[in-house]
Amino acid sequence: MPLAAKQIADLQTFIDREDRSVPPYFAGRRDILADIEARLELMWKRRKGKEPQASGMTRILYGAPGAGKSSTLMHLKRKWDAAAKDRKFAPRMLYLPSPGGFKDGEALKVAVAETLKA
C-alpha cells in the first residue's frame, strides 16, 4: 500500500529529528509480514482442530543494525493490538526490547499477564 502525502511528510519529520524509536508508519516488507501472519493462521487452525503443530514454523528476523527488525515486530504488535481492541481475533505479542526483559521475574510475570489478558 503506497503512503499518503501526509504519511510521507510525517516520516520526513521523523527522519529529520533523527528519532531512533519506531517510525510512525510502516512501508515495505509485505512478503515478510504475509509469511509471519500465514504461519500464525496455520498454527491457530491446527490448534483449534487439535492437530499437531507442523515443523518449520519458527521465523527469525535478522539483519544489520537499522535494517528494520524492531520496526517489523512493532508494526505487527500495533496491528494485532488494534484488532484485539476491536474484539477481532489477533495474535498477542510480548515484546521484550532487550534480554534484560527476561531478568526481572516479577516484571516479566506482569508483562505476560497483561499480554494474555486480552
Side-chain angles (χ1 to χ4, degrees):
M1 163 178 29
L3 294 175
K6 179 180 179 344
Q7 291 174 317
I8 293 170
D10 288 348
L11 281 172
Q12 188 60 55
T13 300
F14 174 83
I15 291 166
D16 292 343
R17 283 192 318 230
E18 296 182 6
D19 192 339
R20 298 300 298 157
S21 65
V22 178
Y25 303 105
F26 190 82
R29 299 178 186 88
R30 185 178 319 194
D31 293 342
I32 293 170
L33 296 172
D35 177 62
I36 292 169
E37 292 193 314
R39 296 299 113 204
L40 289 169
E41 186 176 335
L42 177 60
M43 289 171 68
W44 182 248
K45 284 181 182 175
R46 286 177 175 261
R47 182 184 177 277
K48 283 175 67 175
K50 298 188 180 180
E51 300 173 43
Q53 291 295 337
S55 62
M57 301 295 275
T58 302
R59 294 297 180 261
I60 297 173
L61 294 177
Y62 64 93
K69 301 173 296 292
S70 293
S71 293
T72 299
L73 292 175
M74 292 312 296
H75 170 75
L76 289 169
K77 183 176 185 330
R78 282 186 199 141
K79 179 180 176 183
W80 297 340
D81 286 349
K85 285 179 187 166
D86 290 339
R87 301 200 184 279
K88 298 175 186 169
F89 169 75
R92 301 297 298 150
M93 180 188 297
L94 174 61
Y95 179 71
L96 299 170
S98 73
F102 289 100
K103 291 180 183 173
D104 182 354
E106 286 305 310
L108 182 57
K109 268 199 300 193
V110 169
V112 169
E114 283 299 310
T115 299
L116 296 177
K117 185 168 54 174

